[in-house]
Amino acid sequence: MSQQPFSRPGAIDLSGLRRPASQPAAAPSAGGSPASAGGGAATGAYSVDVTEQSFQTVIESSMTAPVVLVFHSPTQSPESSTFARDVAAVADEYEGRYLAGLVDVDASPQIAQAMQIPQVPLMLVIIDGRPASQPIPGALSQDELRTLFNQLGQQLTAQGIAGRHQPLASGGAQGDENAEPEMDPRYAAAQDALAANDIDLAVAEYQKLVDANPADVEAAGGLAMAQVLRRVQDVDLNSAREAAAQAPDDVEAQTLVADLDLTGGHVDDAFNRLVELVRRTSGDDRDKARTHLLGLFAAVGNEDSRVIRGRQNLASALF
């Protein structure tokens, strides 16, 4: 799958859902309304079947944490509904970092019309009520979904965005809309520190988690990203790039620009810079560059396709 940066171009236009009072809502399909028991695809604690009545509420919940809308059609494309269930299953693995909103376009055609959905399946990431990427057409594998979610999670962490959705009732039913979103208590202190832009505290809190459980991949990734953020604090980008250009084999200068590239979303550029540095250097300098690159891999996430490609390039540079 292709990777793309996440941005927030504009709010969703909901005017297409404002129908005259005399116009009834679309009739549910033979299998029942998406929100009815057994009639929808959402079954986890972090997925919900979206109807025309609940659409606005689901979009508003993206103010807390990302909502991943998945448009599917059980009648036109049964495989698209299978994909919707896959998205719900993968979203559940992230324990509230994402909410999967599954839209059955057969049962809720006006949502598809308002969103100008050209095909199913189609996925759209919503943050703060706005699309955070171009629509993603077609079905992705579960591994590709995890790569996408890991990428977005790292970008949110870098921006100090740490909100989580509260678990929903079984079957995708929404809980108390006024309840505060629950945060995984394991990461709450570190995420609160990031939200407050206290990077040193975030590093310390993530370090505690890693020390307590070295197998905690999310904590290790959070620590690596927090360390990157700490290194680039108060760094002048232009001065750093000029210094790196004048000293192409200076490990400190090159690793600093790689950090800046990573936090700026230029992940491949960061990796390639250090791979080439490893290729050109030897001894302690080479080992420092390699170790730094491994830290950036951890910050992005080992399942990310760019990390996989970067590891291959690093192996080629080393051997």
Side-chain angles (χ1 to χ4, degrees), residues 64-88:
T64 297
V67 170
V68 181
L69 292 179
V70 186
F71 297 87
H72 68 102
S73 168
T75 59
Q76 302 174 43
S77 174
E79 60 272 18
S80 70
S81 295
T82 300
F83 172 61
R85 288 189 288 271
D86 285 344
V87 175

Side-chain angles (χ1 to χ4, degrees), residues 97 151-162 194-195 197 199 206 221-222 225-226 228-230 232 259 262-265 299:
R97 198 67 164 126
Q151 176 199 14
L152 178 54
Q154 294 295 343
Q155 293 188 19
L156 293 175
T157 298
Q159 296 171 33
I161 300 173
L194 283 174
N197 201 33
I199 307 301
Y206 276 125
M225 181 57 78
V228 173
L229 293 174
R230 183 166 64 179
V232 301
D259 288 343
L262 189 76
T263 57

Side-chain angles (χ1 to χ4, degrees), residues 14 17 25 30 35 51 78 88 171 182 194 204 230 250-251 261 281 287 300 317:
L14 302 177
L17 295 181
T51 67
E182 292 184 359
L194 283 174
R230 183 166 64 179
D250 185 303
V251 175
D261 281 341
T281 54
D287 189 59
V300 175

Side-chain angles (χ1 to χ4, degrees), residues 164 181 295:
R164 288 179 182 265

Side-chain angles (χ1 to χ4, degrees), residues 56 87 114 195 240 243 262 277 311:
Q56 179 69 56
V87 175
L262 189 76
L277 184 61
R311 288 188 181 279

